[in-house]
Amino acid sequence: MGKGLALDIGGTKIAAAIVMESGVLANRQQIATPRGDARQLSAALETVIAPYRHQVDFIAVASTGIISKGLLTALNPANLGGLADFPLQDCIQSIADLPCVLLNDGQAAAWAEYQLLKEQCDNALYVTVSTGVGGGIILNKKLLVGNGGLAGHIGHTLSDPLGPLCGCGRRGCVESVASGTAIGAATHGWAQPLSAAHVFTMAREGHTPAENILHRSATAIAQMLADMRIALDLEQAILGGSVGLAEGYLERVTSLQTDLPDIYRIPVQAAYHQQDSGLLGAALWARAIL
Ligand SMILES: [Zn+2]
């Protein structure tokens, strides 16, 4: 298949890199995701893709949101300016007329992480806890994409029916309780509202209210992992994202799992690939299906 151009379209940045046949990433660059409409996203994609278009044989895209039949729809309108049915595949192919494969970013990251686990297990879940909560599911060694592109959106499973309203429109999703955004939002009533990173610092210094916020977030993730384990008979979970990989967070999740009956517990390990998992996973997926 030769070299591919991998793109990772997130809520805050669009990253691009050439992915060599060996899997090595080269010429990585990124720009801020435009805070606007479809026309601005098209222009941003043109800026990112144009310099690479004569250097690669295919394009592989990992994107936040729901990817279905070549279209991109933001599940949480706070991301991507609430885009709906954006013709992502057509837009990219009008910039560079190359074979193009699209995948949700959580699904792409799950596929990249699973390559390191495929000798050890058949069924796994990747979870990213960051600005939002996303994920991807591997069942019987295959990436679950779904006919509508929804598979793996575990951030929008229920954590607390009386919890905060989620950006997707439902109340009490895991994302609305556990994400970095939710951790920051939980301090909005404080004299000095904090970012998620500051909540971690305060908790480390023994600040009980900060500790309680992190406990609530980790509990939501531990319970969601238990639900997914019992629903799908999963064997391994992988935790990534800026909150998921923050000091002490994985240990909180695994320790909360020990309160559960044995059958609900699942081994959890830290994600290996960090900010490049979407790029790498999309490229690996494209090579597998093109
Ligand atoms: Zn939601």
Side-chain angles (χ1 to χ4, degrees):
M1 277 298 315
K3 290 188 285 190
L5 169 62
L7 299 177
D8 186 351
I9 303 172
T12 54
K13 50 115 182 96
I14 300 174
I18 291 179
V19 184
M20 312 302 235
E21 257 175 298
S22 61
V24 171
L25 300 181
N27 299 6
R28 193 184 197 286
Q29 58 151 299
Q30 66 182 53
I31 62 168
T33 307
R35 296 251 149 246
D37 56 12
R39 204 163 38 85
Q40 286 176 290
L41 180 59
S42 303
L45 289 171
E46 166 93 40
T47 306
V48 170
I49 295 169
Y52 297 98
R53 67 185 145 199
H54 300 302
Q55 302 176 46
V56 295
D57 304 303
F58 67 95
I59 298 179
V61 184
S63 176
T64 184
I66 301 163
I67 301 289
S68 181
K69 301 177 177 67
L71 305 177
L72 165 62
T73 296
L75 177 56
N76 181 345
N79 295 330
L80 301 177
L83 282 182
D85 292 337
F86 176 75
L88 185 58
Q89 181 122 15
D90 287 350
C91 173
I92 289 170
Q93 285 183 316
S94 72
I95 299 165
D97 188 19
L98 294 167
C100 173
V101 173
L102 312 179
L103 200 59
N104 165 268
D105 55 357
Q107 295 170 351
W111 191 238
E113 291 292 336
Y114 180 65
Q115 303 312 308
L116 304 164
L117 290 168
K118 59 186 179 187
E119 305 303 326
Q120 297 157 44
C121 71
D122 296 343
N123 304 292
L125 170 70
Y126 168 78
V127 181
T128 171
V129 186
S130 185
T131 310
V133 176
I137 299 164
I138 310 294
L139 271 190
N140 300 322
K141 295 190 175 288
K142 296 200 172 87
L143 177 66
L144 200 60
V145 177
N147 287 343
L150 286 179
H153 278 91
I154 39 84
H156 300 281
T157 56
L158 187 67
S159 175
D160 176 0
L162 304 175
L165 192 61
C166 182
C168 71
R170 187 188 189 195
R171 187 167 291 284
C173 290
V174 170
E175 177 163 304
S176 74
V177 173
S179 67
T181 309
I183 291 170
T187 71
H188 281 176
W190 295 12
Q192 208 163 19
L194 303 175
S195 67
H198 273 108
V199 174
F200 273 93
T201 307
M202 300 278 281
R204 267 197 295 279
E205 290 167 358
H207 187 263
T208 305
E211 173 63 35
N212 290 343
I213 292 173
L214 295 187
H215 181 79
R216 185 160 187 251
S217 165
T219 302
I221 297 300
Q223 293 289 353
M224 180 273 290
L225 292 178
D227 285 350
M228 298 303 294
R229 161 143 175 98
I230 203 77
L232 298 171
D233 200 352
L234 299 176
E235 295 145 30
Q236 180 72 48
I238 307 127
L239 189 58
S242 56
V243 171
L245 295 173
E247 191 187 334
Y249 191 85
L250 188 147
E251 290 73 15
R252 284 174 193 274
V253 172
T254 46
S255 130
L256 286 159
Q257 281 213 316
T258 59
D259 298 339
L260 295 165
D262 267 355
I263 201 167
Y264 289 97
R265 296 181 204 164
I266 178 169
V268 188
Q269 68 180 51
Y272 175 79
H273 301 292
Q274 309 234 328
Q275 77 272 27
D276 291 334
S277 60
L279 293 171
L280 200 56
L284 288 166
W285 180 248
R287 281 187 202 285
I289 68 167
L290 279 174

